[in-house]
Coordinates of all heavy atoms in Angstrom, one line a residue:
M3 N 149.5 101.4 40.4 CA 149.2 102.8 40.9 C 149.3 103.8 39.8 O 150.3 103.7 39.0 CB 150.1 103.2 42.0 CG 149.8 104.5 42.7 SD 148.3 104.5 43.7 CE 148.7 103.4 45.0
T4 N 148.3 104.7 39.6 CA 148.4 105.7 38.6 C 149.7 106.6 38.8 O 149.9 107.0 39.9 CB 147.2 106.6 38.6 OG1 146.1 105.8 38.6 CG2 147.1 107.5 37.5
R5 N 150.3 106.9 37.7 CA 151.5 107.7 37.8 C 151.3 108.9 36.9 O 150.6 108.9 36.0 CB 152.7 106.9 37.4 CG 153.1 105.9 38.3 CD 154.4 105.2 37.9 NE 154.1 104.3 36.9 CZ 155.0 103.4 36.3 NH1 156.3 103.5 36.6 NH2 154.7 102.7 35.3
F6 N 152.1 110.0 37.2 CA 152.1 111.2 36.4 C 153.3 111.9 36.6 O 154.1 111.7 37.5 CB 150.8 112.1 36.9 CG 150.9 112.6 38.3 CD1 151.4 113.8 38.6 CD2 150.5 111.8 39.3 CE1 151.5 114.3 39.8 CE2 150.6 112.3 40.6 CZ 151.1 113.5 40.9
R7 N 153.6 112.9 35.7 CA 154.9 113.6 35.8 C 154.6 115.0 36.4 O 155.4 115.5 37.2 CB 155.5 113.8 34.3 CG 156.9 114.4 34.4 CD 157.6 114.4 33.1 NE 157.8 113.1 32.6 CZ 158.9 112.3 33.0 NH1 159.7 112.7 33.9 NH2 159.0 111.1 32.5
R8 N 153.6 115.7 35.9 CA 153.5 117.1 36.3 C 152.3 117.3 37.2 O 151.1 117.0 36.9 CB 153.2 118.0 35.1 CG 154.4 118.0 34.1 CD 154.1 118.5 32.7 NE 155.1 118.1 31.8 CZ 155.1 116.9 31.1 NH1 154.0 116.1 31.2 NH2 156.0 116.6 30.2
S9 N 152.6 117.8 38.4 CA 151.5 118.0 39.4 C 150.5 119.1 38.9 O 149.4 119.0 39.4 CB 152.1 118.4 40.7 OG 152.9 119.5 40.6
N10 N 150.9 119.9 38.0 CA 149.9 120.8 37.4 C 148.8 120.2 36.6 O 147.8 120.7 36.3 CB 150.6 121.9 36.5 CG 151.3 122.9 37.3 OD1 151.1 123.0 38.5 ND2 152.1 123.7 36.7
D11 N 149.0 118.9 36.2 CA 148.1 118.2 35.4 C 146.9 117.7 36.2 O 145.8 117.3 35.6 CB 148.7 117.0 34.7 CG 149.6 117.4 33.6 OD1 149.6 118.7 33.2 OD2 150.4 116.6 33.0
I12 N 147.1 117.5 37.5 CA 146.0 117.0 38.3 C 145.8 117.8 39.6 O 146.7 118.5 40.0 CB 146.3 115.5 38.7 CG1 147.5 115.4 39.5 CG2 146.4 114.6 37.5 CD1 147.7 114.1 40.2
E13 N 144.6 117.6 40.2 CA 144.4 118.3 41.5 C 143.5 117.4 42.3 O 142.7 116.6 41.7 CB 143.9 119.7 41.4 CG 142.5 119.8 40.7 CD 142.0 121.2 40.6 OE1 142.8 122.1 40.9 OE2 140.8 121.4 40.3
V14 N 143.6 117.5 43.6 CA 142.7 116.6 44.5 C 141.3 117.1 44.4 O 141.1 118.3 44.4 CB 143.3 116.7 45.9 CG1 142.3 116.0 46.9 CG2 144.6 116.0 46.0
S15 N 140.4 116.2 44.4 CA 139.0 116.5 44.4 C 138.2 115.8 45.5 O 138.6 114.6 45.8 CB 138.4 116.2 43.1 OG 136.9 116.2 43.1
I16 N 137.3 116.4 46.2 CA 136.5 115.7 47.2 C 135.1 115.3 46.7 O 134.2 115.0 47.4 CB 136.5 116.6 48.5 CG1 135.8 117.9 48.2 CG2 137.8 116.7 49.2 CD1 135.3 118.6 49.5
S17 N 135.0 115.5 45.3 CA 133.7 115.1 44.8 C 133.2 113.7 45.1 O 134.1 112.8 45.0 CB 133.8 115.4 43.3 OG 132.6 114.8 42.6
P18 N 132.0 113.5 45.4 CA 131.5 112.1 45.7 C 131.6 111.2 44.5 O 131.5 110.0 44.6 CB 130.0 112.3 46.1 CG 129.7 113.7 45.6 CD 131.0 114.5 45.5
E19 N 131.8 111.8 43.2 CA 131.9 110.8 42.0 C 133.1 109.9 42.2 O 133.1 108.8 41.6 CB 132.0 111.6 40.8 CG 133.3 112.4 40.7 CD 133.3 113.4 39.4 OE1 132.7 114.5 39.6 OE2 133.9 113.1 38.4
F20 N 134.1 110.2 43.0 CA 135.2 109.4 43.3 C 134.9 108.2 44.3 O 135.8 107.3 44.5 CB 136.4 110.2 43.7 CG 137.0 111.1 42.7 CD1 136.5 112.4 42.5 CD2 138.0 110.6 41.8 CE1 137.0 113.2 41.5 CE2 138.5 111.4 40.8 CZ 138.0 112.7 40.7
D21 N 133.8 108.3 45.0 CA 133.5 107.3 45.9 C 132.6 106.3 45.5 O 132.3 105.2 46.1 CB 132.9 108.0 47.2 CG 133.8 109.0 47.9 OD1 135.0 108.6 47.9 OD2 133.3 110.0 48.3
K22 N 132.0 106.5 44.3 CA 131.0 105.6 43.7 C 131.6 104.3 43.2 O 132.7 104.5 42.5 CB 130.2 106.3 42.6 CG 129.0 105.5 42.1 CD 128.2 106.3 41.1 CE 127.1 105.5 40.6 NZ 126.2 106.2 39.6
E23 N 131.1 103.2 43.5 CA 131.6 101.9 43.0 C 130.7 101.4 41.9 O 129.5 101.4 41.9 CB 131.7 100.9 44.1 CG 132.9 101.1 45.0 CD 133.1 99.8 45.9 OE1 132.2 99.0 46.0 OE2 134.2 99.8 46.5
Y24 N 131.4 100.9 40.8 CA 130.6 100.3 39.6 C 131.0 98.8 39.5 O 132.1 98.5 39.8 CB 131.1 101.0 38.4 CG 130.7 102.5 38.3 CD1 131.6 103.5 38.7 CD2 129.5 102.9 37.8 CE1 131.2 104.8 38.7 CE2 129.1 104.2 37.7 CZ 130.0 105.2 38.1 OH 129.7 106.5 38.0
N25 N 130.0 98.1 39.2 CA 130.2 96.6 38.8 C 130.7 96.5 37.4 O 130.5 97.4 36.6 CB 128.9 95.9 39.0 CG 128.4 95.8 40.4 OD1 129.2 95.5 41.3 ND2 127.1 96.2 40.7
P26 N 131.4 95.4 37.1 CA 131.8 95.1 35.8 C 130.6 95.2 34.9 O 129.5 94.7 35.2 CB 132.3 93.7 35.8 CG 132.7 93.4 37.2 CD 131.7 94.3 38.0
G27 N 130.8 95.8 33.7 CA 129.7 95.9 32.7 C 128.8 97.1 32.9 O 128.1 97.5 32.1
E28 N 129.0 97.8 34.1 CA 128.2 99.1 34.3 C 128.9 100.2 33.6 O 130.1 100.2 33.4 CB 128.2 99.4 35.7 CG 126.9 99.0 36.5 CD 126.9 99.6 37.9 OE1 127.7 99.2 38.8 OE2 126.0 100.5 38.1
A29 N 128.1 101.1 33.1 CA 128.7 102.3 32.4 C 128.9 103.5 33.4 O 127.9 103.8 34.2 CB 127.7 102.8 31.3
P30 N 130.1 104.0 33.5 CA 130.3 105.0 34.6 C 129.7 106.4 34.1 O 129.5 106.6 32.9 CB 131.8 105.1 34.6 CG 132.3 104.7 33.3 CD 131.3 103.7 32.8
D31 N 129.5 107.3 35.0 CA 129.0 108.6 34.7 C 130.1 109.5 34.2 O 129.8 110.5 33.4 CB 128.5 109.3 36.0 CG 127.3 108.5 36.6 OD1 126.6 107.8 35.8 OD2 127.1 108.6 37.8
H32 N 131.4 109.2 34.5 CA 132.4 110.2 34.1 C 133.5 109.4 33.4 O 133.9 108.3 33.8 CB 133.0 110.9 35.4 CG 132.0 111.7 36.1 ND1 131.7 112.9 35.7 CD2 131.3 111.4 37.1 CE1 130.8 113.4 36.5 NE2 130.5 112.5 37.4
P33 N 134.2 110.0 32.4 CA 135.3 109.4 31.8 C 136.6 109.5 32.6 O 136.7 110.5 33.4 CB 135.5 110.2 30.5 CG 135.0 111.6 30.8 CD 133.8 111.4 31.8
G34 N 137.4 108.6 32.5 CA 138.7 108.7 33.3 C 139.4 107.3 33.5 O 139.0 106.4 32.9
I35 N 140.3 107.3 34.5 CA 141.0 106.1 34.9 C 140.2 105.5 36.1 O 140.0 106.2 37.1 CB 142.4 106.4 35.2 CG1 143.2 107.0 34.0 CG2 143.1 105.1 35.8 CD1 144.6 107.4 34.3
Y36 N 139.9 104.2 35.9 CA 139.2 103.5 36.9 C 140.1 102.4 37.5 O 140.8 101.8 36.8 CB 137.8 102.9 36.5 CG 136.7 103.9 36.3 CD1 136.7 104.9 35.2 CD2 135.8 104.1 37.2 CE1 135.8 105.8 35.1 CE2 134.8 105.1 37.1 CZ 134.8 105.9 36.1 OH 133.9 106.9 36.0
R37 N 139.9 102.2 38.9 CA 140.8 101.2 39.5 C 139.9 100.2 40.2 O 139.0 100.6 40.8 CB 141.6 102.1 40.6 CG 142.6 101.3 41.4 CD 143.3 102.2 42.3 NE 144.1 101.5 43.3 CZ 145.3 101.1 43.1 NH1 145.9 101.4 42.0 NH2 146.0 100.4 44.0
C38 N 140.4 99.0 40.1 CA 139.6 97.9 40.7 C 140.0 97.9 42.2 O 141.2 97.8 42.6 CB 140.0 96.6 40.1 SG 139.2 95.1 41.0
G39 N 139.0 97.9 43.1 CA 139.2 97.9 44.5 C 139.7 96.6 45.0 O 140.1 96.5 46.2
G40 N 139.6 95.5 44.3 CA 140.1 94.2 44.7 C 141.6 94.1 44.4 O 142.4 93.8 45.4
C41 N 142.0 94.2 43.2 CA 143.4 93.9 42.8 C 144.2 95.1 42.4 O 145.4 95.0 42.3 CB 143.4 92.8 41.6 SG 142.7 93.6 40.0
G42 N 143.6 96.3 42.2 CA 144.3 97.4 42.0 C 144.6 97.7 40.6 O 145.3 98.6 40.2
C43 N 144.2 96.8 39.6 CA 144.4 97.1 38.2 C 143.6 98.3 37.8 O 142.6 98.6 38.4 CB 144.2 95.9 37.4 SG 142.4 95.4 37.1
E44 N 144.1 98.9 36.7 CA 143.4 100.1 36.3 C 143.0 100.1 34.8 O 143.7 99.4 34.0 CB 144.4 101.3 36.4 CG 144.7 101.6 37.9 CD 145.8 102.5 38.1 OE1 146.7 102.7 37.3 OE2 145.9 103.0 39.3
V45 N 141.9 100.7 34.4 CA 141.5 100.8 33.0 C 141.1 102.2 32.8 O 140.8 103.0 33.5 CB 140.3 99.9 32.7 CG1 140.6 98.4 33.0 CG2 139.1 100.3 33.6
V46 N 141.2 102.5 31.4 CA 140.7 103.8 30.9 C 139.2 103.6 30.4 O 139.0 102.7 29.7 CB 141.6 104.3 29.7 CG1 140.9 105.6 29.2 CG2 143.0 104.6 30.2
A47 N 138.4 104.4 31.0 CA 137.0 104.3 30.6 C 136.3 105.5 30.1 O 136.7 106.6 30.5 CB 136.1 103.7 31.8
E48 N 135.5 105.4 29.2 CA 134.7 106.5 28.6 C 133.3 106.5 29.3 O 132.8 105.5 29.7 CB 134.5 106.4 27.1 CG 135.7 106.5 26.2 CD 135.5 106.3 24.8 OE1 134.5 107.0 24.3 OE2 136.1 105.5 24.2
A49 N 132.8 107.7 29.4 CA 131.5 107.8 30.1 C 130.5 107.1 29.2 O 130.6 107.1 28.0 CB 131.0 109.2 30.2
S50 N 129.5 106.4 29.8 CA 128.4 105.7 29.1 C 128.8 104.4 28.3 O 128.0 103.9 27.6 CB 127.7 106.6 28.2 OG 127.3 107.8 28.8
K51 N 130.1 104.1 28.4 CA 130.5 102.8 27.9 C 130.8 101.8 29.0 O 131.4 102.3 30.0 CB 131.8 103.0 26.9 CG 131.4 103.8 25.7 CD 132.5 103.6 24.6 CE 132.1 104.3 23.3 NZ 133.2 104.3 22.4
P52 N 130.5 100.6 28.9 CA 130.6 99.6 30.0 C 132.1 99.4 30.5 O 133.0 99.3 29.7 CB 130.0 98.4 29.5 CG 129.3 98.7 28.2 CD 129.8 99.9 27.7
L53 N 132.2 99.4 31.8 CA 133.5 99.0 32.3 C 133.7 97.5 32.1 O 132.9 96.7 32.0 CB 133.5 99.3 33.9 CG 133.6 100.8 34.2 CD1 133.0 101.1 35.6 CD2 135.0 101.3 34.1
P54 N 135.1 97.2 31.9 CA 135.3 95.7 31.6 C 134.8 94.7 32.6 O 134.9 94.9 33.8 CB 136.9 95.7 31.5 CG 137.3 97.1 31.7 CD 136.2 97.9 32.2
S55 N 134.4 93.7 32.0 CA 133.9 92.5 32.8 C 134.8 91.3 32.5 O 135.0 90.4 33.3 CB 132.5 92.1 32.6 OG 132.2 92.0 31.2
E56 N 135.4 91.3 31.3 CA 136.3 90.2 30.9 C 137.8 90.7 30.9 O 138.0 91.9 31.2 CB 136.0 89.7 29.5 CG 134.5 89.1 29.5 CD 134.1 88.8 28.1 OE1 134.8 88.9 27.1 OE2 132.8 88.5 27.9
N57 N 138.7 89.8 30.6 CA 140.1 90.1 30.6 C 140.6 90.8 31.9 O 141.4 91.8 31.9 CB 140.5 91.1 29.4 CG 140.1 90.5 28.1 OD1 140.2 89.2 27.9 ND2 139.7 91.2 27.2
H58 N 140.1 90.3 33.0 CA 140.5 90.8 34.3 C 141.2 89.8 35.1 O 140.9 88.6 35.1 CB 139.2 91.2 35.1 CG 139.4 92.1 36.2 ND1 139.5 93.4 36.2 CD2 139.8 91.7 37.5 CE1 139.7 93.9 37.5 NE2 140.0 92.8 38.2
P59 N 142.3 90.2 35.7 CA 143.1 89.2 36.5 C 142.2 88.5 37.5 O 141.3 89.1 38.1 CB 144.1 90.1 37.3 CG 144.2 91.3 36.5 CD 142.9 91.5 35.9
R60 N 142.4 87.2 37.7 CA 141.6 86.5 38.6 C 141.8 86.9 40.1 O 142.9 87.0 40.5 CB 141.9 84.9 38.4 CG 140.8 84.0 39.1 CD 141.2 82.6 38.8 NE 140.2 81.7 39.4 CZ 139.1 81.3 38.8 NH1 138.7 81.8 37.7 NH2 138.3 80.5 39.4
H61 N 140.7 87.1 40.7 CA 140.8 87.6 42.1 C 140.9 86.4 43.1 O 140.3 85.4 42.9 CB 139.6 88.4 42.5 CG 139.5 89.8 42.1 ND1 138.6 90.7 42.5 CD2 140.4 90.5 41.3 CE1 138.9 91.9 42.0 NE2 140.0 91.8 41.2
S62 N 141.7 86.6 44.2 CA 141.7 85.6 45.2 C 140.5 85.9 46.1 O 139.8 87.0 45.9 CB 142.9 85.9 46.1 OG 142.8 87.1 46.8
P63 N 140.0 84.9 46.9 CA 138.9 85.1 47.7 C 139.0 86.4 48.6 O 138.1 87.2 48.9 CB 138.8 83.9 48.6 CG 139.5 82.9 47.8 CD 140.6 83.6 47.0
A64 N 140.3 86.7 49.0 CA 140.5 87.9 49.9 C 140.3 89.2 49.2 O 139.9 90.2 49.7 CB 141.9 87.9 50.5
Q65 N 140.5 89.1 47.9 CA 140.3 90.4 47.0 C 138.8 90.7 46.8 O 138.4 91.8 46.4 CB 141.1 90.3 45.7 CG 142.6 90.3 45.8 CD 143.3 90.1 44.6 OE1 142.8 89.2 43.8 NE2 144.4 90.7 44.4
G66 N 138.0 89.6 46.9 CA 136.6 89.9 46.7 C 136.2 90.0 45.3 O 136.9 89.7 44.4
R67 N 135.0 90.7 45.1 CA 134.5 90.9 43.8 C 135.2 92.0 43.0 O 135.8 92.9 43.6 CB 133.1 91.0 43.8 CG 132.6 92.2 44.5 CD 131.1 92.4 44.6 NE 130.8 93.5 45.5 CZ 130.7 94.8 45.0 NH1 130.9 95.0 43.7 NH2 130.4 95.8 45.8
V68 N 135.1 92.0 41.7 CA 135.6 93.2 40.9 C 134.6 94.4 41.1 O 133.4 94.3 41.0 CB 135.6 92.8 39.5 CG1 136.1 94.1 38.6 CG2 136.6 91.6 39.2
R69 N 135.2 95.5 41.5 CA 134.3 96.7 41.7 C 135.3 97.9 41.2 O 136.5 97.9 41.7 CB 133.8 96.9 43.0 CG 134.7 97.1 44.2 CD 135.1 95.8 44.8 NE 135.9 96.1 46.0 CZ 136.6 95.1 46.6 NH1 136.8 93.9 46.0 NH2 137.4 95.3 47.7
W70 N 134.8 98.7 40.4 CA 135.5 99.8 39.8 C 135.2 101.1 40.5 O 134.1 101.5 40.8 CB 135.2 100.0 38.3 CG 135.6 98.8 37.5 CD1 134.7 97.9 36.9 CD2 136.9 98.4 37.2 NE1 135.4 96.9 36.2 CE2 136.8 97.2 36.3 CE3 138.2 98.9 37.4 CZ2 137.9 96.5 35.8 CZ3 139.2 98.2 36.9 CH2 139.1 97.1 36.1
R71 N 136.3 101.9 40.7 CA 136.2 103.2 41.4 C 137.0 104.2 40.6 O 138.1 104.0 40.1 CB 136.7 103.1 42.8 CG 136.7 104.3 43.7 CD 137.1 103.9 45.1 NE 138.5 103.4 45.3 CZ 139.6 104.0 44.9 NH1 139.6 105.1 44.4 NH2 140.8 103.4 45.2
L72 N 136.4 105.4 40.4 CA 137.1 106.5 39.7 C 138.4 106.9 40.4 O 138.3 107.3 41.6 CB 136.1 107.7 39.5 CG 136.7 108.8 38.7 CD1 137.0 108.5 37.2 CD2 135.7 110.0 38.6
A73 N 139.5 106.8 39.7 CA 140.8 107.2 40.3 C 141.3 108.6 39.8 O 141.7 109.4 40.6 CB 141.9 106.2 40.0
V74 N 141.1 108.8 38.5 CA 141.5 110.1 37.9 C 140.4 110.5 36.9 O 140.2 109.7 35.9 CB 142.8 110.1 37.2 CG1 143.2 111.4 36.6 CG2 143.9 109.6 38.2
A75 N 139.8 111.6 37.0 CA 138.7 112.0 36.1 C 139.3 112.8 35.0 O 140.1 113.7 35.2 CB 137.7 112.8 36.8
A76 N 138.9 112.5 33.7 CA 139.2 113.3 32.6 C 138.3 114.5 32.5 O 137.1 114.3 32.8 CB 139.2 112.4 31.3
Q77 N 138.8 115.6 32.1 CA 138.0 116.8 32.0 C 138.0 117.4 30.6 O 139.1 117.6 30.1 CB 138.6 117.8 33.1 CG 137.6 118.9 33.4 CD 138.1 119.5 34.8 OE1 137.6 119.1 35.8 NE2 139.0 120.3 34.7
K78 N 136.8 117.6 30.0 CA 136.7 118.1 28.7 C 137.0 119.6 28.7 O 137.8 120.1 27.8 CB 135.4 117.8 28.1 CG 135.3 116.4 27.4 CD 133.9 116.4 26.8 CE 133.8 115.0 26.0 NZ 132.4 114.9 25.6
E79 N 136.4 120.3 29.6 CA 136.5 121.7 29.5 C 137.9 122.3 30.0 O 138.3 121.8 31.1 CB 135.3 122.4 30.4 CG 133.9 122.1 29.9 CD 133.5 120.6 30.4 OE1 134.1 120.1 31.4 OE2 132.6 120.1 29.8
P80 N 138.5 123.1 29.2 CA 139.7 123.8 29.7 C 139.5 124.7 30.9 O 138.4 125.2 31.1 CB 140.2 124.6 28.6 CG 139.0 124.9 27.7 CD 138.0 123.7 27.9
H81 N 140.5 124.8 31.7 CA 140.4 125.7 32.9 C 141.3 126.9 32.7 O 142.4 126.8 32.3 CB 140.7 124.9 34.2 CG 139.5 124.2 34.7 ND1 139.1 124.3 36.0 CD2 138.6 123.3 34.1 CE1 138.0 123.5 36.2 NE2 137.7 122.9 35.0
Ligands
LIG122 ZN1 140.5 93.4 40.1

């Protein structure tokens, strides 16, 4: 699970970008922390660079295939 110290650093978003699932090797639209829907492992990804397909914990049949979902989006522009 993603952890953080200061609640001022993050805020809840209902943007649909957080619902999109990516396959291993696919390049995400947004930079940030991505979480595997099967095993829960997390990776840091840059926009337009492929999400990992190797070095991933082996899934049990119940965990299904590897699919990445945006957990925490990084934001370039200051607010
Ligand atoms: Zn996984």
Side-chain angles (χ1 to χ4, degrees):
M3 189 66 72
T4 310
R5 291 182 284 181
F6 63 95
R7 184 173 300 279
R8 294 166 199 90
S9 56
N10 282 349
D11 287 348
I12 61 167
E13 65 180 10
V14 171
S15 168
I16 57 167
S17 169
E19 70 190 77
F20 290 90
D21 298 322
K22 188 173 176 182
E23 280 193 346
Y24 294 92
N25 291 313
E28 258 191 292
D31 296 332
H32 298 276
I35 298 171
Y36 283 77
R37 180 178 171 86
C38 174
C41 66
C43 76
E44 295 164 343
V45 295
V46 175
E48 293 180 51
S50 308
K51 290 198 178 171
L53 287 155
S55 51
E56 297 170 8
N57 300 327
H58 192 91
R60 194 175 179 84
H61 278 191
S62 69
Q65 288 174 323
R67 63 186 175 81
V68 176
R69 65 269 186 201
W70 297 108
R71 175 175 62 65
L72 182 60
V74 182
Q77 200 159 262
K78 271 187 181 169
E79 297 82 20
H81 276 231

